[in-house]
Amino acid sequence: MTVALKPLDEQVIVITGASSGIGLTTARMAADRGARLVLVARSEAALAELTEEIRREGGDAEYVVADVSEPDDIREISRVARETYGGFDTWVNGAAVPIYGKLREIPIEDLHEQFDVNVWGLLYGSFEATEQFRERAQEQDRDYGGALINIGSIASERAILLQGSYSASKHAVKGFTDALRMELEEEDAPVSVTLVKPSSIDTPYPDHAKNYMDDDPTLPPPVYAPETVARAILHAAAHPQREVTVGGGGKSLTVLDRYAPGLLDRIMEAVFVDRQQTDRPSGPEPERDLDTPSGTLDERGDYEGHVAETSSYTRLLQRRSLPTTLGAGAAAIGAYVLYRVLRGTDPGDR
């Protein structure tokens, strides 16, 4: 079944994790393109500021303070969208919390809390969104379906050293999203389900992470601007797409993992520990509480290296100029690009 989606300027879009990073950038870009927005995060002050900013610039937005790991909060998001706009056309599950450190050194309660947000929060949002899309199709003779967009990660495909728990949560996101897509397709439900897999993105991600390493965390290069992900999300909101990888650097990891996983293991073990830590010692105890919202509207972080403002790979993929899978010769390409990754550059992205 081919799902027809509305143009962005005719859509109502729900965005969780809207107060910072990718979610914030996507919200502002969507508002600029004429979409009406339901903004979701835990920080009311940040949401109120963002909503006022969008309205002041001629946009239309409402906000809901919510913890996505709470099913009642998810239902409240849906209720506000229905009462304010009559429903929604796209639901973006973007809320997530990161943890840096070795798996055996992270308290079990932190792992539980991370999965509550990254996995269960996304699951609750997905079920609420798809149920609303199905009910709308049954109750009305509509020409358009709805879009569910789940934000995974390159870590959905390839585990990242020192981000093992985050990788595990994003592997779960991929498995859940793929299975849900098949169920909806099998019953001809009018829902497009997309998994977006960003590479390293210059957001406050390291600052928002709970850190169990000796030094402050940073991102492994190459690093991309959050706008690269926002463009991919909004493209998928209007054009059905199974999944999209944002950034050729991340794609090189997944390709090499497919054809030479043992080699990639050894490369990560040799290089990725240093590449994910600054030279600034962290405090004696992790300062970040996963329960505490950031409270500030920050799209970008403080990454000190080069940040690619675009991704040629992703642009070509979404224009269908590249196949979604690569042949056997891609292993050599992946190895070469990974070499460039470890030097902090990515050919073709700028």
Side-chain angles (χ1 to χ4, degrees):
M1 177 182 180
T2 301
V3 180
L5 302 175
K6 291 181 180 179
L8 280 179
D9 60 2
E10 298 178 16
Q11 286 202 29
V12 176
I13 302 178
V14 174
I15 302 174
T16 72
S19 64
S20 69
I22 291 169
L24 174 58
T25 305
T26 303
R28 285 169 168 160
M29 189 178 292
D32 288 343
R33 297 186 183 184
R36 292 170 290 171
L37 301 173
V38 179
L39 308 170
V40 182
R42 292 180 296 179
S43 172
E44 183 165 15
L47 288 174
E49 181 182 350
L50 176 60
T51 300
E52 175 57 29
E53 170 196 312
I54 290 172
R55 290 173 177 172
R56 187 170 59 248
E57 296 180 3
D60 192 347
E62 186 56 81
Y63 73 84
V64 182
V65 178
D67 180 343
V68 297
S69 66
E70 296 293 336
D72 287 344
D73 286 9
I74 293 292
R75 287 189 283 270
E76 177 66 9
I77 298 166
S78 186
R79 184 194 68 79
V80 170
R82 292 194 305 272
E83 289 191 359
T84 306
Y85 299 116
F88 51 86
D89 303 287
T90 293
W91 183 296
V92 181
N93 279 313
V97 293
I99 301 175
Y100 282 82
K102 294 182 178 179
L103 288 168
R104 293 170 297 167
E105 298 174 359
I106 300 173
I108 291 295
E109 55 268 25
D110 281 355
L111 299 179
H112 272 291
E113 188 172 348
Q114 184 177 48
F115 269 68
D116 282 344
V117 175
N118 295 11
V119 180
W120 287 104
L122 180 138
L123 183 150
Y124 297 144
S126 297
F127 284 157
E128 181 66 27
T130 54
E131 188 60 28
Q132 292 300 315
F133 292 146
R134 293 171 72 254
E135 288 182 5
R136 185 175 68 180
Q138 293 170 358
E139 295 171 358
Q140 306 176 43
D141 181 16
R142 298 186 61 91
D143 295 327
Y144 296 101
L148 171 66
I149 301 176
N150 288 341
I151 309 304
S153 169
I154 287 302
S156 297
E157 303 280 357
R158 169 67 208 192
I160 307 298
L161 193 67
L162 296 179
Q163 295 189 58
S165 61
Y166 181 80
S167 300
S169 73
K170 291 302 183 178
H171 270 61
V173 165
K174 175 175 169 54
F176 169 78
T177 302
D178 288 347
L180 179 62
R181 182 190 301 108
M182 288 188 287
E183 291 181 5
L184 293 167
E185 289 176 346
E186 190 273 333
E187 63 185 55
D188 288 334
V191 185
S192 169
V193 179
T194 302
L195 179 66
V196 177
K197 299 177 293 184
S199 302
S200 293
I201 306 297
D202 182 27
T203 70
Y205 177 100
D207 296 329
H208 292 176
K210 198 160 189 178
N211 180 29
Y212 287 94
M213 303 188 301
D214 292 334
D215 295 320
D216 284 345
T218 187
L219 299 165
V223 176
Y224 300 83
E227 287 82 0
T228 60
V229 189
R231 286 191 289 267
I233 292 170
L234 296 182
H235 184 276
H239 305 88
Q241 187 172 12
R242 187 179 192 279
E243 63 179 39
V244 57
T245 298
V246 180
K251 183 62 179 178
S252 71
L253 290 179
T254 65
V255 170
L256 194 57
D257 180 59
R258 178 177 179 181
Y259 294 104
L263 172 62
L264 184 54
D265 284 350
R266 291 191 292 274
I267 291 173
M268 283 195 169
E269 292 159 11
V271 176
F272 270 56
V273 172
D274 290 338
R275 287 287 177 153
Q276 294 184 88
Q277 298 184 77
T278 68
D279 57 1
R280 299 185 299 272
S282 60
E285 297 291 337
E287 297 179 1
R288 177 70 181 164
D289 184 347
L290 294 177
D291 283 329
T292 304
S294 63
T296 59
L297 295 177
D298 295 319
E299 291 186 3
R300 301 209 181 191
D302 57 359
Y303 183 71
E304 296 176 354
H306 173 71
V307 175
E309 297 297 327
T310 65
S311 168
S312 300
Y313 167 80
T314 304
R315 289 201 312 271
L316 291 171
L317 180 64
Q318 292 199 300
R319 292 173 184 170
R320 302 186 184 277
S321 297
L322 285 178
T324 56
T325 58
L326 300 177
I333 297 173
Y336 167 70
V337 176
L338 182 60
Y339 163 74
R340 299 296 298 267
V341 166
L342 298 178
R343 294 188 61 187
T345 61
D346 183 357
D349 294 333
R350 61 183 187 277

